[in-house]
Short mmCIF file of all heavy atoms in Angstrom, two decimals:
data_model
loop_
_atom_site.label_atom_id
_atom_site.label_comp_id
_atom_site.label_asym_id
_atom_site.label_seq_id
_atom_site.Cartn_x
_atom_site.Cartn_y
_atom_site.Cartn_z
N SER A 610 68.61 102.49 56.37
CA SER A 610 67.88 102.92 55.20
C SER A 610 68.11 104.47 55.11
O SER A 610 67.80 105.13 56.09
CB SER A 610 66.43 102.60 55.30
OG SER A 610 65.82 102.65 54.00
N VAL A 612 66.86 107.19 53.86
CA VAL A 612 65.90 108.31 54.12
C VAL A 612 65.80 108.68 55.62
O VAL A 612 65.36 109.72 55.97
CB VAL A 612 64.55 108.03 53.46
CG1 VAL A 612 63.77 106.97 54.29
CG2 VAL A 612 63.81 109.26 53.19
N ARG A 613 66.22 107.66 56.50
CA ARG A 613 66.09 107.96 57.95
C ARG A 613 67.23 108.96 58.44
O ARG A 613 67.09 109.41 59.57
CB ARG A 613 66.31 106.65 58.69
CG ARG A 613 65.26 105.55 58.30
CD ARG A 613 65.60 104.25 59.02
NE ARG A 613 64.77 103.14 58.42
CZ ARG A 613 65.07 101.87 58.67
NH1 ARG A 613 66.01 101.53 59.54
NH2 ARG A 613 64.30 100.87 58.13
N TRP A 648 56.56 104.22 57.59
CA TRP A 648 56.49 104.40 56.16
C TRP A 648 55.20 103.59 55.66
O TRP A 648 55.20 103.05 54.55
CB TRP A 648 57.70 104.07 55.39
CG TRP A 648 58.82 104.87 55.81
CD1 TRP A 648 59.82 104.49 56.75
CD2 TRP A 648 59.21 106.18 55.44
NE1 TRP A 648 60.72 105.49 56.97
CE2 TRP A 648 60.38 106.54 56.13
CE3 TRP A 648 58.63 107.12 54.62
CZ2 TRP A 648 60.92 107.81 56.01
CZ3 TRP A 648 59.18 108.33 54.47
CH2 TRP A 648 60.35 108.72 55.18
N SER A 703 60.25 91.97 51.24
CA SER A 703 60.27 93.43 51.15
C SER A 703 59.53 93.88 49.85
O SER A 703 59.30 93.09 48.99
CB SER A 703 61.71 93.97 51.06
OG SER A 703 62.28 93.65 49.78
N GLY A 704 59.25 95.17 49.86
CA GLY A 704 58.59 95.69 48.68
C GLY A 704 59.51 95.63 47.46
O GLY A 704 59.13 95.41 46.35
N THR A 705 60.81 95.88 47.73
CA THR A 705 61.83 95.76 46.69
C THR A 705 61.78 94.44 46.02
O THR A 705 61.69 94.29 44.84
CB THR A 705 63.20 96.04 47.28
OG1 THR A 705 63.31 97.39 47.67
CG2 THR A 705 64.27 95.81 46.22
N CYS A 708 58.61 93.89 43.84
CA CYS A 708 58.64 94.61 42.59
C CYS A 708 59.70 93.95 41.58
O CYS A 708 59.44 93.84 40.41
CB CYS A 708 58.86 96.13 42.74
SG CYS A 708 57.54 96.95 43.63
N TYR A 731 59.09 105.13 42.93
CA TYR A 731 60.12 104.33 43.57
C TYR A 731 59.52 102.96 43.79
O TYR A 731 58.42 102.82 44.34
CB TYR A 731 60.49 104.94 44.95
CG TYR A 731 61.55 104.16 45.74
CD1 TYR A 731 62.88 104.18 45.37
CD2 TYR A 731 61.16 103.48 46.90
CE1 TYR A 731 63.86 103.45 46.07
CE2 TYR A 731 62.16 102.78 47.66
CZ TYR A 731 63.44 102.80 47.16
OH TYR A 731 64.35 102.09 47.93
N HIS A 732 60.28 101.91 43.29
CA HIS A 732 59.82 100.57 43.43
C HIS A 732 60.80 99.72 44.18
O HIS A 732 60.94 98.58 43.98
CB HIS A 732 59.57 99.96 42.00
CG HIS A 732 58.68 100.83 41.17
ND1 HIS A 732 57.40 101.03 41.43
CD2 HIS A 732 58.96 101.62 40.09
CE1 HIS A 732 56.83 101.89 40.55
NE2 HIS A 732 57.80 102.23 39.69
N GLY A 733 61.57 100.41 45.06
CA GLY A 733 62.63 99.69 45.80
C GLY A 733 63.95 99.89 45.11
O GLY A 733 64.07 100.58 44.09
N SER A 744 61.47 108.98 46.34
CA SER A 744 61.82 108.66 47.75
C SER A 744 63.25 109.06 48.04
O SER A 744 63.79 110.12 47.57
CB SER A 744 61.58 107.18 48.02
OG SER A 744 61.90 106.86 49.38
N GLU A 793 53.31 103.27 40.37
CA GLU A 793 52.65 103.45 41.65
C GLU A 793 51.25 104.06 41.27
O GLU A 793 51.25 105.23 40.86
CB GLU A 793 53.30 104.45 42.55
CG GLU A 793 54.66 104.02 43.11
CD GLU A 793 55.33 105.11 43.99
OE1 GLU A 793 54.63 105.57 44.88
OE2 GLU A 793 56.48 105.47 43.67
N ASN A 798 56.03 108.59 46.32
CA ASN A 798 57.45 108.86 46.58
C ASN A 798 57.97 110.07 45.83
O ASN A 798 59.12 110.27 45.64
CB ASN A 798 58.19 107.62 46.04
CG ASN A 798 58.06 106.44 47.01
OD1 ASN A 798 58.56 106.49 48.08
ND2 ASN A 798 57.26 105.43 46.50
N ASP A 826 52.33 98.86 41.46
CA ASP A 826 53.15 98.75 42.63
C ASP A 826 52.32 99.29 43.82
O ASP A 826 52.18 100.55 43.96
CB ASP A 826 54.48 99.47 42.49
CG ASP A 826 55.25 99.57 43.82
OD1 ASP A 826 54.73 99.12 44.83
OD2 ASP A 826 56.39 100.08 43.78
N VAL A 828 52.71 98.70 47.01
CA VAL A 828 53.44 98.50 48.25
C VAL A 828 52.90 99.49 49.26
O VAL A 828 52.75 99.24 50.45
CB VAL A 828 54.94 98.61 48.08
CG1 VAL A 828 55.72 98.79 49.37
CG2 VAL A 828 55.47 97.40 47.24
N MET A 829 52.63 100.73 48.83
CA MET A 829 52.13 101.73 49.73
C MET A 829 50.69 101.78 49.75
O MET A 829 50.04 101.87 50.86
CB MET A 829 52.57 103.16 49.18
CG MET A 829 53.82 103.72 49.80
SD MET A 829 53.85 105.46 49.30
CE MET A 829 55.51 105.80 49.79
N LYS A 854 54.73 96.69 53.29
CA LYS A 854 54.24 97.53 54.35
C LYS A 854 53.05 96.95 55.08
O LYS A 854 53.21 96.02 55.84
CB LYS A 854 53.92 98.86 53.75
CG LYS A 854 55.18 99.58 53.15
CD LYS A 854 54.93 100.96 52.56
CE LYS A 854 56.12 101.46 51.76
NZ LYS A 854 57.18 101.91 52.57
N GLU A 988 58.17 112.61 50.11
CA GLU A 988 57.54 111.45 50.78
C GLU A 988 56.06 111.78 51.05
O GLU A 988 55.72 112.95 51.03
CB GLU A 988 58.26 111.12 52.10
CG GLU A 988 59.75 110.69 51.93
CD GLU A 988 59.81 109.27 51.26
OE1 GLU A 988 58.78 108.63 51.07
OE2 GLU A 988 60.97 108.93 51.00
P1 LIG B 2500 60.89 98.15 50.68
O1 LIG B 2500 61.89 97.36 49.92
O2 LIG B 2500 61.43 99.43 51.28
O3 LIG B 2500 60.04 97.35 51.63
O4 LIG B 2500 59.77 98.64 49.60
C1 LIG B 2500 60.28 99.42 48.44
C2 LIG B 2500 59.11 100.20 47.92
C3 LIG B 2500 58.39 99.76 46.80
N1 LIG B 2500 57.39 100.41 46.26
C4 LIG B 2500 56.95 101.56 46.85
C5 LIG B 2500 55.73 102.25 46.28
C6 LIG B 2500 57.50 102.04 48.02
O5 LIG B 2500 57.07 103.17 48.55
C7 LIG B 2500 58.62 101.37 48.60
C8 LIG B 2500 59.38 101.85 49.81
N2 LIG B 2500 58.93 103.06 50.37
C9 LIG B 2500 59.94 103.85 51.08
C10 LIG B 2500 59.27 105.14 51.55
N3 LIG B 2500 58.95 106.01 50.42
C11 LIG B 2500 60.52 103.06 52.17
C12 LIG B 2500 61.31 103.89 53.13
C13 LIG B 2500 62.77 103.59 53.05
O6 LIG B 2500 63.39 103.48 51.99
O7 LIG B 2500 63.39 103.48 54.17
#
Side-chain angles (χ1 to χ4, degrees):
S610 197
V612 76
R613 304 175 190 168
W648 303 96
S703 69
T705 295
C708 295
Y731 179 72
H732 306 293
S744 182
E793 293 179 55
N798 287 292
D826 173 354
V828 167
M829 265 194 192
K854 299 178 191 287
E988 297 290 355

